[in-house]
Amino acid sequence: MDEIIDRLKKVRKGAMFIIEAPSGTGKGTVAKELLKADPNIKFSVSVTTRQPREGEVEGVDYYFVTDEQYNEFLAQDAFYEHVDSQYGPRYGTLRSEVDSFINVGQDVLFDMDWAGARQMKAKAKDDVVTIYLLPPSIKELRRRLVNRGTDSPEVIEKRMGIILDKISHWDEFDYVIVNVNLQETVTKIQKIISGERMKRVRQVGLKGFVKELVKEASE
């Protein structure tokens, strides 16, 4: 029996899990906990045209490329999604990077905004699962932004100013969770991941397995 389960796992197709939330909701912390708890989930490393910051590692934080290389990727339709700008750094998610995981049954986790999620859904369709995290309240969201101590008051106000726009896209997502308690939220997302892994569309090994069952039953 264990041999059968292992065989089906090996031919499962991975999924792309996108988590979106307003700044301060706890998206980054949730993502770290999910990655730490499940070795079968990989984090998507994006391409960017900006220069590396101190401590950032090529292939771990980003793939750092030139504008010319980025333009080549665009011309080749090599991105699942991308954020293009004439005035600032450009970012993109490489198809080859993601496909190298999902085609061997590993899942990929994305920290991505609603615009990127739309692009991913349009190109990858059933392979994409979207999850939106809501804060328990706007007051609590502000408290979290202040307490984490990474942003100036000006930056916090800027983040608060775009909350309405970000939250307005909540109903475009497959799953919505109010992040009151970190561990409860992580557990809920783990259940979502578990359920999505069992969907027929991802269990690509089932067709051959059922064929074997039918053959055995007919003998």
Side-chain angles (χ1 to χ4, degrees):
M1 185 64 71
D2 288 342
E3 182 184 339
I4 294 171
I5 293 171
D6 288 340
R7 177 155 60 96
L8 290 174
K9 280 182 179 178
K10 288 176 182 176
V11 290
R12 183 181 72 84
K13 188 175 185 183
M16 309 176 192
F17 292 97
I18 297 174
I19 299 180
E20 159 70 317
S23 294
T25 304
K27 175 174 59 174
T29 304
V30 167
K32 287 178 183 176
E33 291 298 311
L34 291 169
L35 292 166
K36 186 169 64 175
D38 191 338
N40 202 50
I41 302 176
K42 307 299 179 183
F43 190 73
S44 173
V45 180
S46 299
V47 162
T48 183
T49 58
R50 72 164 173 77
Q51 292 298 305
R53 295 169 184 155
E54 186 177 350
E56 288 185 329
V57 179
E58 169 74 17
V60 176
D61 298 288
Y62 288 98
Y63 293 113
F64 298 98
V65 300
T66 64
D67 277 309
E68 290 74 18
Q69 290 172 311
Y70 187 95
N71 289 335
E72 286 180 17
F73 285 136
L74 275 180
Q76 296 163 4
D77 192 27
F79 293 128
Y80 267 126
E81 63 84 35
H82 66 279
V83 178
D84 223 349
S85 171
Q86 289 181 289
Y87 308 105
R90 300 188 287 174
Y91 297 85
T93 300
L94 286 172
R95 290 175 184 261
S96 58
E97 167 81 3
V98 177
D99 290 349
S100 68
F101 292 124
I102 68 169
N103 287 338
V104 295
Q106 293 183 313
D107 302 307
V108 184
L109 185 66
F110 301 83
D111 176 348
M112 188 178 292
D113 67 11
W114 61 267
R118 273 187 185 177
Q119 291 183 56
M120 293 286 286
K121 274 281 193 182
K123 289 190 175 182
K125 298 182 171 57
D126 289 341
D127 290 334
V128 178
V129 180
T130 56
I131 304 166
Y132 199 95
L133 300 184
L134 287 169
S137 69
I138 300 303
K139 182 179 179 180
E140 173 62 15
L141 185 64
R142 179 184 287 277
R143 187 191 70 79
R144 291 178 184 179
L145 284 172
V146 171
N147 286 353
R148 72 184 186 182
T150 58
D151 297 323
S152 67
E154 292 76 20
V155 171
I156 290 174
E157 289 308 313
K158 185 176 179 180
R159 293 188 186 282
M160 294 299 296
I162 62 173
I163 283 174
L164 281 179
D165 177 63
K166 286 185 75 73
I167 289 180
S168 68
H169 296 279
W170 71 274
D171 57 355
E172 298 179 27
F173 287 70
D174 300 316
Y175 300 92
V176 180
I177 299 171
V178 178
N179 186 22
V180 178
N181 175 275
L182 172 62
Q183 193 51 56
E184 286 181 3
T185 296
V186 171
T187 299
K188 287 176 181 177
I189 296 177
Q190 287 173 328
K191 289 179 179 178
I192 290 169
I193 292 172
S194 180
E196 288 290 337
R197 284 173 173 169
M198 294 303 296
K199 281 191 172 179
R200 177 180 52 79
V201 70
R202 302 194 216 296
Q203 295 196 71
V204 293
L206 280 179
K207 190 172 182 179
F209 178 68
V210 172
K211 189 175 180 180
E212 290 178 14
L213 288 179
V214 171
K215 181 181 177 181
E216 184 181 352
S218 301
E219 291 175 348

